[in-house]
Amino acid sequence: MVQTLARAGCEVTLVLKAPVRTGRLVDPLRALPNVTVRSPHADGRLPAQIPMPVRWAATVLAEVDAEDPFDLIVVRGRRLAGKLAAGPLAGRLWTYLTDVPQQAGDFDGDAFGELRRIADASRLLLCQTEELRCFLESAVPATAGKSVLFPPVVVLPEGLEPRAAGAPEGRALKLVYTGKFAPRWNTYEMTRLPRLLSVDAEVHMVGDKVHDDPGDPGYAPRMQAALETAPGVVWHGGHPRAEAMRLTAACDIGLSWRHPELDASLELSTKLLECGLLGVPVVLNRTPMHERLFGVDYPLFVATEDDVVTALDKIGLNPDLYELAAERCRAAAEDYTLEAAARRVKGYLAEVFPEPDPAVLAAAGGRKLRVGVAGHDLKFFTRLLDYLRSRPDMEVRVDHWAALKAHDPERGQELLDWADVIICEWCGPNALWYAERKRPGQRLVVRLHRFELYADWPRKLDIDSVDQVICVSPHYADLTLAKTGWPKEKVTVIPNWVDDRQLDRPKLAGAEHHLGFIGIAPSRKRLDLALDVVEELRRDDPRFTLFVKSKLPWEYWWIWQKPEERAHYEKVFHRIRRSPLLSGGVVFDDYGRDVAAWLRRIGFVLSTSDDESFHLAPAEGMASGAVPALLNWPGADTIYDTRWIHTGTSAMAASIADTVRLDRWEADRTLAREQVRRDYGLAEVCRQWTDLLAVRAPVAAPGI
């Protein structure tokens, strides 16, 4: 982590939790430019021989921070992060989470509450694997949108070169295991391999920690005896990491075959990556994570001891198969080098710490631009608000209304007295209140959604007091002008943002046959038309399945109280229960913030609404690598490329079927992802808002 941050351009201070007993790890870091190593023990803050307890860490780190405040604080471990979440470092934490429950059944109220507090106090949550990130977002909604990947980083020791390419010839096959010796790691079974294989083989074991198993008191002596006496086993004892990697590089195949109980782990073994970087193929369990890394046809996937023997015998006799496995491991490790980690962190730094814009500073006379945000519901503005707050050329305050019409006028007046520009999220009572009271020269920007356009507030708004009205699509900008008669120059388009980096995640197997539908209420979302599409597809291919992520209509009291809405949904749900084609073909998933994780299984996102102002779901699907499929609701062609828009449900079903049948899915989803990133990606929309606040006319995004 220290090396990664330094390479990414940070000045790094490493605070040690234990006294230094050897310089083997710390001295190379002290020699790096822009790195400072602080030892609270050497500074006299802690007793010389006692490792820093978690309960002291928050105090020590706060004291170090007070001397010269940090922009970000990287902390590893749930207990320490929980302590820091309640202190002065909150908001600047980049929390690296590994020690979290990895199954839903392991979550209790305490774990959930602690992780929610950590998420609220963290600017980013660093997750080792995509699987851990998705699980965390599903279990703790507060982590969604903040969770990013920081996979293990593998660095070759100085002077160590990867193993030369090519299968071993003319000698025994050298197998290698490094690490602890424990029952679930199958280390005792590994010592039997030289006797079981038909090819000549040795097993080289590196490590000196033999596990005492309470359930099997005989394990430790049995394991120790095998290390010392088993035929074909070479036990090297314990070694530092660099020497262990040198021993690995001298062998042919790594062993990482484990008990099936460990298949559900959401963490990635660094040993696998070290072997890959060294060009040493690895025997390992078949899991979804490993299939994604090495490919489903990787030749050294195993489950049982017989599998191990069969795979090793086959690869020992087939040089081409050996080289295929070695190349897969080398390719998998490329994304886990120090250089790859530095590139990844540079991207996060650019998002969290954007560069100042001279035009913004000029708009405020050389100081930070004071931006006020006012509204009762900011859910559609959250990432934009985070972005504005992160800018070094802006200062942001929020007047959060308790409800649509519930407001604290004193707080509003404070914002009026302070702000250079005020953004009203929703053209409702908040916009009317600020338009009546804004100062001369103070700018007022109002963001208008579909909801307000059909209410009375726009008609009552003093448009002369508003500098700019923002609509999210050209169609709704035209409707706004037609309904209000406002001057054309007052209304502009800045589209909804799509968090393309968060949504861009690898798809799960079978996604090309999975259709996604987000939000089924009210009835104008037309779930019934989506069912038409699914029925037509399943007539020819029952693999097609519709996944629905939504609250159910009776969870919205203002919808469920309307007889026509009830009648619509009763008909829809009766149809799902009774249609033979829909049986097993429609899955309802809980509403929640884990959309990015959910979209990993989705290959097509449907939009069958009667009308929409923008409809974010297809754009989010595109950013995830899914293909959008829309009916031609009014204005759809001003937002989305017409290639994704269909004349009816039969045409939509035929297009989806052809896309899969003709192997066009990969090409189409790549094109869709490029389109949404270019026009509606978070960085692009944030740029347009920055231009607007700097009093430069924004350019409306083209349709995609």
Side-chain angles (χ1 to χ4, degrees):
M1 178 63 76
V2 169
Q3 293 181 72
T4 298
L5 290 168
R7 287 201 182 199
C10 296
E11 294 184 12
V12 187
T13 299
L14 172 64
V15 181
L16 302 176
K17 72 174 183 179
V20 177
R21 304 189 189 281
T22 172
R24 188 173 65 236
L25 292 176
V26 175
D27 288 348
L29 298 180
R30 294 187 195 274
L32 292 175
N34 297 326
V35 172
T36 301
V37 178
R38 296 285 299 268
S39 172
H41 301 82
D43 294 345
R45 297 176 190 267
L46 296 173
Q49 302 302 316
I50 302 176
M52 180 163 52
V54 168
R55 66 180 184 276
W56 293 355
T59 301
V60 170
L61 292 173
E63 290 174 355
V64 175
D65 176 67
E67 298 169 9
D68 185 11
F70 299 107
D71 298 304
L72 63 97
I73 298 94
V74 180
V75 56
R76 174 171 176 157
R78 182 173 137 198
R79 289 183 61 212
L80 180 55
K83 289 285 186 184
L84 298 180
L89 306 184
R92 292 178 284 159
L93 300 178
W94 288 27
T95 305
Y96 186 44
L97 287 174
T98 55
D99 52 343
V100 297
Q102 297 197 6
Q103 298 183 49
D106 295 337
F107 264 94
D108 55 22
D110 290 342
F112 177 85
E114 183 178 46
L115 287 169
R116 184 183 60 199
R117 290 190 294 273
I118 290 171
D120 290 341
S122 299
R123 184 63 182 84
L124 293 179
L125 296 162
L126 308 179
C127 298
Q128 193 184 87
T129 64
E130 187 63 71
E131 287 73 14
L132 177 60
R133 172 162 70 157
C134 291
F135 173 72
L136 199 59
E137 290 173 338
S138 299
V140 186
T143 64
K146 292 186 173 185
S147 299
V148 299
L149 292 181
F150 188 82
V153 180
V154 184
V155 184
L156 286 182
E158 188 174 349
L160 179 60
E161 295 295 329
R163 182 186 181 282
E169 294 182 10
R171 59 168 174 80
L173 191 68
K174 292 184 178 181
L175 314 176
V176 61
Y177 171 84
T178 66
K180 63 185 176 183
F181 304 109
R184 292 194 299 171
W185 275 252
N186 289 339
T187 49
Y188 179 74
E189 289 76 4
M190 292 175 189
T191 64
R192 299 201 299 243
L193 292 175
R195 290 182 284 121
L196 298 175
L197 294 173
S198 60
V199 297
D200 290 338
E202 302 170 354
V203 175
H204 292 255
M205 310 291 274
V206 184
D208 56 7
K209 184 178 179 181
V210 179
H211 181 74
D212 284 317
D213 184 4
D216 182 5
Y219 174 80
R222 189 166 64 248
M223 184 72 238
Q224 187 73 37
L227 289 170
E228 295 172 352
T229 64
V233 172
V234 181
W235 182 33
H236 296 271
H239 285 279
R241 174 180 168 274
E243 181 59 26
M245 290 185 72
R246 287 189 177 90
L247 290 168
T248 299
C251 293
D252 305 311
I253 296 177
L255 296 174
S256 189
W257 162 51
R258 297 179 176 180
H259 192 280
E261 289 178 3
L262 299 176
D263 287 352
S265 174
L266 303 178
E267 297 180 7
L268 179 59
S269 169
T270 306
K271 298 292 190 298
L272 295 182
L273 304 175
E274 289 177 348
C275 285
L277 209 58
L278 293 168
V280 177
V282 187
V283 175
L284 73 163
N285 298 45
R286 181 187 292 276
T287 70
M289 185 192 304
H290 293 158
E291 285 187 345
R292 179 166 58 83
L293 272 174
F294 301 103
V296 294
D297 59 343
Y298 179 69
L300 289 176
F301 281 142
V302 298
T304 66
E305 186 175 73
D306 288 344
D307 292 341
V308 177
V309 171
T310 300
L312 289 174
D313 278 340
K314 186 184 297 184
I315 207 166
L317 298 171
N318 189 331
D320 291 339
L321 199 60
Y322 178 91
E323 190 50 40
L324 169 66
E327 181 53 38
R328 290 285 181 85
C329 289
R330 278 192 289 266
E334 287 178 357
D335 286 337
Y336 301 89
T337 62
L338 191 59
E339 292 73 19
R343 286 195 300 270
R344 186 177 286 113
V345 168
K346 279 183 180 179
Y348 301 151
L349 291 168
E351 287 184 16
V352 176
F353 302 105
E355 292 293 324
D357 187 332
V360 174
L361 296 171
R367 58 167 171 77
K368 289 184 178 182
L369 186 69
R370 296 169 180 168
V371 180
V373 178
H376 73 288
D377 182 356
L378 302 179
K379 65 175 176 287
F380 297 123
F381 205 75
T382 52
R383 293 308 301 273
L384 292 175
L385 187 57
D386 288 342
Y387 168 76
L388 297 178
R389 283 172 165 162
S390 71
R391 291 197 61 86
D393 47 23
M394 294 185 189
E395 189 176 351
V396 180
R397 295 182 185 177
V398 176
D399 175 15
H400 201 154
W401 289 40
L404 185 63
K405 299 179 182 179
H407 180 228
D408 180 350
E410 290 186 9
R411 186 167 57 198
Q413 189 60 50
E414 289 176 2
L415 195 68
L416 279 168
D417 294 340
W418 172 81
D420 299 314
V421 56
I422 296 170
I423 303 169
C424 283
E425 170 67 344
W426 307 91
C427 182
N430 58 331
L432 303 184
W433 193 90
Y434 277 97
E436 290 173 2
R437 294 166 175 81
K438 62 168 283 193
R439 301 191 320 266
Q442 190 174 48
R443 298 184 66 229
L444 179 61
V445 176
V446 176
R447 198 158 84 122
L448 186 149
H449 303 252
R450 180 188 184 281
F451 163 69
E452 312 96 277
L453 185 57
Y454 296 95
D456 287 337
W457 301 304
R459 182 176 55 82
K460 297 176 181 178
L461 181 66
D462 179 6
I463 194 62
D464 292 334
S465 295
V466 177
D467 294 272
Q468 206 74 55
V469 174
I470 306 298
C471 297
V472 296
S473 73
H475 176 67
Y476 267 79
D478 291 341
L479 283 179
T480 297
L481 291 170
K483 288 184 71 69
T484 63
W486 290 340
K488 188 174 182 179
E489 64 273 13
K490 293 269 189 176
V491 179
T492 192
V493 174
I494 298 182
N496 277 326
W497 50 269
V498 178
D499 198 344
D500 49 312
R501 289 190 63 163
Q502 274 285 328
L503 290 162
D504 187 4
R505 306 185 184 191
K507 291 294 183 188
L508 298 175
E512 67 273 18
H513 289 97
H514 295 168
L515 317 179
F517 199 96
I518 304 176
I520 66 171
S523 59
R524 61 182 174 81
K525 296 289 187 179
R526 299 304 300 271
L527 176 61
D528 58 318
L529 297 181
L531 298 180
D532 291 346
V533 175
V534 182
E535 280 189 324
E536 198 149 341
L537 286 167
R538 286 174 65 85
R539 284 191 182 96
D540 297 319
D541 190 339
R543 290 177 294 177
F544 282 105
T545 305
L546 178 67
F547 290 85
V548 179
K549 188 171 184 62
S550 176
K551 285 186 178 180
L552 295 171
W554 47 84
E555 296 181 72
Y556 299 98
W557 64 266
W558 60 94
I559 292 175
W560 200 241
Q561 69 181 352
K562 298 177 181 179
E564 66 275 15
E565 291 285 328
R566 283 198 185 202
H568 172 84
Y569 289 108
E570 285 171 359
K571 183 177 180 181
V572 163
F573 283 107
H574 279 303
R575 176 183 174 187
I576 292 172
R577 286 174 62 90
R578 294 172 180 172
S579 168
L581 287 171
L582 295 179
S583 176
V586 182
V587 178
F588 285 88
D589 291 314
D590 288 342
Y591 169 85
R593 294 173 59 186
D594 58 331
V595 173
W598 180 80
L599 280 168
R600 290 188 68 201
R601 78 180 74 165
I602 304 301
F604 297 85
V605 173
L606 309 188
S607 175
T608 55
S609 305
D610 289 334
D611 65 281
E612 293 282 356
S613 61
F614 185 91
H615 205 194
L616 195 59
E620 289 181 331
M622 294 164 76
S624 80
V627 177
L630 299 93
L631 294 183
N632 195 19
W633 38 263
D637 60 344
T638 68
I639 304 171
Y640 295 98
D641 191 315
T642 53
R643 78 179 63 210
W644 314 125
I645 300 172
H646 308 284
T647 56
T649 56
S650 293
M652 182 183 287
S655 175
I656 292 171
D658 287 347
T659 298
V660 175
R661 180 174 57 84
L662 300 174
D663 291 327
R664 293 200 315 251
W665 182 66
E666 283 290 346
D668 281 3
R669 75 192 196 93
T670 299
L671 174 63
R673 185 163 46 208
E674 290 170 353
Q675 288 180 343
V676 80
R677 184 175 292 153
R678 179 193 67 217
D679 294 327
Y680 302 144
L682 183 58
E684 170 59 19
V685 174
C686 287
R687 182 196 64 77
Q688 293 183 38
W689 272 95
T690 303
D691 286 353
L692 175 77
L693 296 176
V695 202
R696 285 183 287 180
V699 178
I704 59 174

